[in-house]
Amino acid sequence: MSKLKKGDIYKSFEVLNVFEVADYHSTAIHLRHKKTALEVFHLLNDDSENLFAFAFRTPNTKSTGLAHIIEHSVLCGSEKYPLKDPFVTMSNQSVKTYLNAMTYSDKTVYPASSIAKADYFNLMSVYGDAVFFPRLDREIFMQEAHRFEVDDKGGVSIQGVVYNEMKGSYSSFESVAADISLASLLKGSIYEKDSGGDPLEIPDVTYEDFLNFHKTWYRPDNCFVFLHGNIPTEEQLDFLQEQFLSRLEKKIPDIDVSEAAIKKRISDFRKLVTPEKINEPFVLYAEGPSGDGEESNTVLVNWLLGRAENALSATEKVVLTGILCNHDGSPLQKALLESSLGEDLAPQNGLFSSIFTSTLTLGLRGVKKGDERKVEKVVLDTIKKLVEDGIPQKDVESTLTTLEFSHREIKRGHGPFALSLMARPIYGWLYGDGIENQIRLRSHLDEIRAKIEEDSSYLKNLFKKLLLENKSRSLVVVAPSKNYTKKREKAEKERVADFLKHTSIEEIKAENDKLHSFQQSDDDTTCLPHLTPEDFITDGKPMMNRPETEIDFLGGYDTSSVPFIKNVENTNGIIYLDIGFPADVLSPKDYPLLPAFADCVTECGWKDLDWAKSAEECALNTGGLGVNLLTMEGPDTENARKLSQKYNWIKRDWVIFRMSMLEEKSAEALALLRDCLTGVDFSDEKRVQDILTESRNDFEASVIPDGHTFVSNRVWCNLSRKNAVDEIWNGLSQYFSIKRIASAPISETLHSFKRIFKEIKNGGAFIHVTAENSGFEKINSMLPSFIDKVGLSAPKNPFACNDEDFYALTKIEGEVSADSDSELFVTSSQVGYAAECIPASRYEDEASFTEEVCTHWLSNNLLWEKIRTIGGAYGAFCNAEPMVGALIFATYRDPNPFDSCDAFELCLKEASELDFSEEEVVCAIMGCYSHFIQPQSPKGRGSSALTRLLYGICDEDREKKILGILHSNPENLKAGFKRLYEFSHAQKTEKIENFKKKSIISDKKSLNEQGFAGKIIHLPL
C-alpha cells in the first residue's frame, strides 16, 4: 500500500490526511496540489476495477440549465482530442466498466472505470482534457443547448439535446411533483432552480453565458478528483500533473491557493446553497402534467431537516426515516396506507440527503381534493403518537438490521461499488465539512445503537427536534392539469413567434446549415488511444466472467429429485436463496395475472401474521423477500440441446421467490419463507386491492420515462413465445391488463390468485443458493425439512399449448388507419419514442458474433450522429437479439420519432456501403467486448450463472461467441451490415412475417401534423 503520510510532500502535492477505512479495506489519502489547489482523494485498496471522477461545484442561479448544458458540451471535443464527440468514440472503443457524466443540483461529476490499467488512463486522459480544455464551439452550444429549426413544411421549432431531454422530464408528473416539493423548502438558494433546465428558460441562455460558466466553475481550484482501486496513488498523481496540471498552471497562472482563499470559495458557495429560514409551516398548491385518465392529487408533507455535518448526523436521519417508513408495516407507512385517503404511497417519499440541507418527504398519491389536510394530520399524529407512547422496539431493530445488512452487502447496481463510496467524500469537499468525518461506517450504527440503549429518550428527542418541533415544513399539493402542458406549449409557440419578428426563415436555415456542416464533418479518431483484442486473449481463451455452478439434487417431499443449483461466492456472510416454481404449468390465459400475483403474494401476510407484521418480521430477519418472473428462450446449440434433453427445467418460464439473509439469521429467515409459501391465503381483500392500485399507478408513471423500453417490446413481441411473454408481463399489454385487474371485482382476482399459487406449487420447483461455504453449511442442514414442509418436488412438464395463444394476448385494440404492422401510442408527452425490428442471425449462427459488433458500432456512430447529434433526440441505439434472431432500433426522448424510423434504415444502408479499416474494427470490437467483462457483485455472479443455466447457455458456447467477436475483421463487418440491410428490405416470407414492425409513442399534436399509417392506440395515462 502507499507509503505517503500526513504532512508529506509528493512533488507538487501536499498530503492533507491519511487514514484507514477498514470497513472498505482501504487506505484513504487526501492531497492538494500546491500550485492550483486541485484536491485528490484516493481510496487505495486491492480492487482491480479502478474508478476516477472529476467533480466540480456548479451552482445554477437560474433554471436555464447551464450546468447541464456544459456537462454535455465539454464531452464534445477538447484541445488534445478535437473530435465532435470523443465521449461516444470512447464508448465505442474502450473496455470501460462505467462511463458517464451527471449534473446534480449543485455539482457536476464525471466518473469512469475500467479493469484494464492502460484503458483506465486512456479514459482519464480523455475526461480530464474534456473538463479542463474543451472546445466549446458555437455549434456545440447550438447542438446541445437550443436552436431554432425549420422543418420541411416551413414550421419553426426549438431544438437541442438538453432542451428535448428536459421536455421529457417536464412531461412526467412524478418528476415535476418531486421538483416542486423540494423547491418549496429551499427558497433563496440555488435548489429552487432546476439545474437540468426548464425548457421555458433554456432558450434564455446565451453563448457568452455558456463560455463564462465554464470559465468560472471548471477550474482546478474548484475541482475534486476521487480515485478508487489498486493503481498506486503516486502513479495517478504523476499522470494528473503531466497531462493536466502542468498545462493548467500556464492557463490560469494567478490562482490564489492560500487557506484564506480556499475558505472564501467554500463560504461563497455555501451562501448560494443556504435556503431562507422558514418561520412557520405553509401550504403550496401547484400543477403538473396530466394524462387522459381520471386523476387526483399528490399530497406531500416536507421537512427541512438541517445539515448533516458529519456521518453520524447523516446516519441519525437515515435511522429516523427508516423507523417511519422502512417497510409497509412501519408506523407511518402503515398509517398512510390504512388511512384510505389516497390510492398509494407517493413515489417522492423518502430522505433526500445529497444536498447542503437534508429534506424528508412523506405523503400519498391519488388524494381527493379537500383531503390534503387530512393527509398532513395522519403524518403529524402518527409521529406525535410515537413520541408520546414510545417507539416500538421492533421498528427500531428492523431499521438497524436493514442498515447493517446494507452495509455488509457487496452491491453493484448500474456501475461499480466505488460509485456508492464516492458520494460522501465529494459531499465533504463540496461544503467544506471535511472528508474523514463524512464517510459512513459500521461504527456509526454501533454508536447510535449504544445511544438508544443508554438513553430511552434519545430517539424521542430526535423525532421532536427534527420533526414535531421543526417549523421548516411545507404541505405541497400537486394537481394533474391538462392546462399544464397546454400553457407550456403556448409559451413555446410565443417564443418562436417573437423570435421570428427579428429573424427570417432564411437566416435560421443559414445558421443550421453551418451546424449541420459541423455535425457531418469527418473526424480523425486515431488521436484516441485504445487496446486490442490480443490484450484479452491468453492461451486461446478470452478473459470473461466464469462463475462455477454446481447442479445437485435434494429429495422432494414425494421422493422425486428437486434440482439444487449452487454458486459459491464471497458474499460477506450473506445467503441468497431462490425458490423457482414453473409458470408454464399454467394456461396462457393466466399469464397476464402473474405480475400482479408476484406483487401481492409476499406483501399480504400469511398464517397468523397480517401484512404489516409479516413485513416487520421480514425486515427484522432478512435482507428482503420478493418475487421475480423470468421467461426463457435459449440458443439452439448442441450444448443447449443436451442440457434440455438432460433436464426438463431448461428454457422454461418461472415464478421465483427470492430471499436474502445473514448466515446468523438463516433459521428465522427460512421459517418465514416456509410460512409464506404454505400460509398465504389472500384473505385480506383491502390489502390486495391497495397493492393492485399501487402497481397500476407505478406502471402508468413509468410509461413516459421508459417509453423506449415499451416500444421495443412491442415491435418484437410476436417473434417468439418468450418475447410474447415478456410483453404480456412487462409491456404495454400488461399496462392494459393491470388497469383491468385493478378495477375488476376483487373476489374474482383473489380466487384466481389462490388457484395460480396452488398450481405453480404443484408444478414442482428448483432451489438456487449463492453463498460462502459457511453459508452452505448453515442452509444445507435446514433444506430437507424446508422441502418437506413446503411440499417441493421435481419440476413437472409444462402445460400443452401453442405459441399463438401467447401472441393473441399481446394484441391491443386501436383505430386502424391503414394496412400496416406499425403502431402509434398517443400520449400527452412532449417528446416521443420510436422502435423498429428487422431480422438478424441467431445465437448459434457464427454470423451473429459479428452482428454484435455491427450494432455496437451503429449505436455509437451513425445512429448517434443522425438521431442524437443532428436530430436532437436524447438517445438512439440498436441491439442484436440473437436468441430470437432480431435487431432492435430505438430512440429515447425523441422530438422527431416519425422521422427516426426512416433514419434507422438509412443508417443501415449507409453502413452497408462503407469499407471499414482494421483500426475502426478493432475499436468497435473493444467497445462491444466491454459488455462481456463487466465485474459483478457476488449476488450478481450467482444470479447471472442461474439465468444462463436456465437459458441453456454454457461457458463453451459463451467462449466461442466472445472469441468470434474478438476475431471480427473488416470483411465480415461489411458482410454483416450488408446482410442486415438485405434482411431489412427482404420481401415478407413465412420466416420474416412478424418482422419490420414499427412502434411509436408520441402526442396528438405530432399525429395531427405527421399523419400515421397503421394502428393508432390512445394510452389513457
Side-chain angles (χ1 to χ4, degrees), residues 53 84 187 299 619 658 680 887:
K84 296 193 298 291
K187 299 295 182 184
V299 178
R658 292 194 148 143
V680 171
L887 193 69

Side-chain angles (χ1 to χ4, degrees), residues 64-65 68-70 72 143-145 160-167 196-197 199 202 872 874:
T64 52
H68 191 186
I69 294 165
I70 289 289
H72 280 238
Q143 171 183 291
E144 300 298 324
V161 174
V162 170
Y163 180 80
N164 286 319
E165 177 189 348
M166 296 312 296
K167 284 185 77 173
I202 290 174
Y874 185 48

